[in-house]
Amino acid sequence: MSQQQQQQARQRQKRDLLSSEDQERLKERLNASYSADVLNIARHFGSRPLATTARVLDIDINGITIGWQWADATKRKSAKDEMQFAFREITGPGSVLNEVSSLAIEAHKALGLAGEPQLTKDKRDVDAKNLVDFTFRLPGALTMASIVFGLWLLAYMALVNNVHPRLRFIRHWVSQDTCYHLFVWALIVHALEAGAVYAFCYLLRVIQPQQMNANLQLKWTLGVGLFGIACLHDFAKRVSRQFALVGAN
C-alpha cells in the first residue's frame, strides 16, 4: 500500500469516528444549550469582548468553526467573523465535547468570569453517572500477606536444595522440580495479567483520560503483577460495570 493510500485509509477511519448525524446533533446541542459558552469562546479567542451572538457553524473531525457578530461602532452596523479551532485527537462525540469544554474553560478564566462553563458542569455530572471510578485500592492485609508468603514459599521450595527441616515434609508431597515449574508458571501468569491490565489502562487513558492517568496505570499494573487475581478481580469488576453503563446508554 502506497503512502497516499495509507493516508486516505487513515482519513476514512477518522471520518468514521464522527458521522454526519453526530456532527449535526453536536451543533444543535451546543447552539441550543450552551450558547453562552460558545459566545465566551468567541469573545476571548476572537478578541471580540463586545460580541453579541455566536453560533457553531460546523463541526468535523478536524475541528469546530464558530461564527460571531458584534456591533462595529466605526461603521455603525453589525459585523461578522468566524474562526476554526483545531481538535487535538477525536475518538467520538464525547471527545468533541471535551475539546469544546477545554476551550470554554480557558475563555471563562481569561474573561474573568466566576464559576465554571455550563458545558463543563453538565459533562462532569454526566461523567459521574456514567464513568466508573478506577481509583486503585490494595487488597486486604491478610490477602496480601497470604499471597506474598505463598510466592515466597514456592520460590524457596523451588530454588533451595536443602530446605529447612520444618519444611522437609513438603518435599514428600511436591518435588523440587514441580515447585520450580509451578513457580515459573506463577510468574508467567502474573506477568501476563499485569501486561493485560497495563494495555487496558493505556487504552482507557486515551479514550477517557478523566478515568485513568499514568499514576493509576502504574498502580494497577504493579498491583496485579504482585498480587495477581486479588487485584485483577477488582479491576475486572470495574471494567464490567463500565461496559454495562455504556450499554445502558
Side-chain angles (χ1 to χ4, degrees), residues 165-232:
R166 292 185 178 180
L167 296 176
R168 286 175 185 169
F169 74 93
I170 298 177
R171 284 277 191 258
H172 297 293
W173 298 94
V174 186
S175 68
Q176 184 176 6
D177 285 343
T178 301
C179 287
Y180 177 79
H181 288 107
L182 288 173
F183 178 63
V184 171
W185 273 110
L187 292 180
I188 292 174
V189 169
H190 278 232
L192 289 174
E193 290 172 343
V197 168
Y198 178 88
F200 191 89
C201 287
Y202 179 81
L203 181 63
L204 200 59
R205 283 178 60 190
V206 174
I207 298 174
Q208 293 289 0
Q210 63 267 49
Q211 274 183 294
M212 182 64 60
N213 54 43
N215 186 39
L216 282 177
Q217 182 181 18
L218 178 62
K219 287 181 178 179
W220 277 112
T221 303
L222 292 177
V224 172
L226 289 172
F227 304 115
I229 193 66
C231 283
L232 183 62

Side-chain angles (χ1 to χ4, degrees), residues 75-89:
K75 297 181 180 180
R76 296 182 180 180
K77 64 178 183 178
S78 295
K80 297 180 179 180
D81 203 353
E82 65 182 53
M83 179 183 292
Q84 184 182 52
F85 301 86
F87 292 146
R88 288 166 294 185
E89 184 175 3

Side-chain angles (χ1 to χ4, degrees), residues 3 7 12-13 16 36 64 70-71 99 108 131 163 170 175 198 201 225 229-230:
Q3 186 175 0
Q7 290 177 346
R12 284 195 296 270
Q13 289 175 347
D16 290 340
I64 181 171
W70 76 95
E99 293 280 343
H108 215 73
L131 298 181
V163 299
I170 298 177
S175 68
Y198 178 88
C201 287
I229 193 66

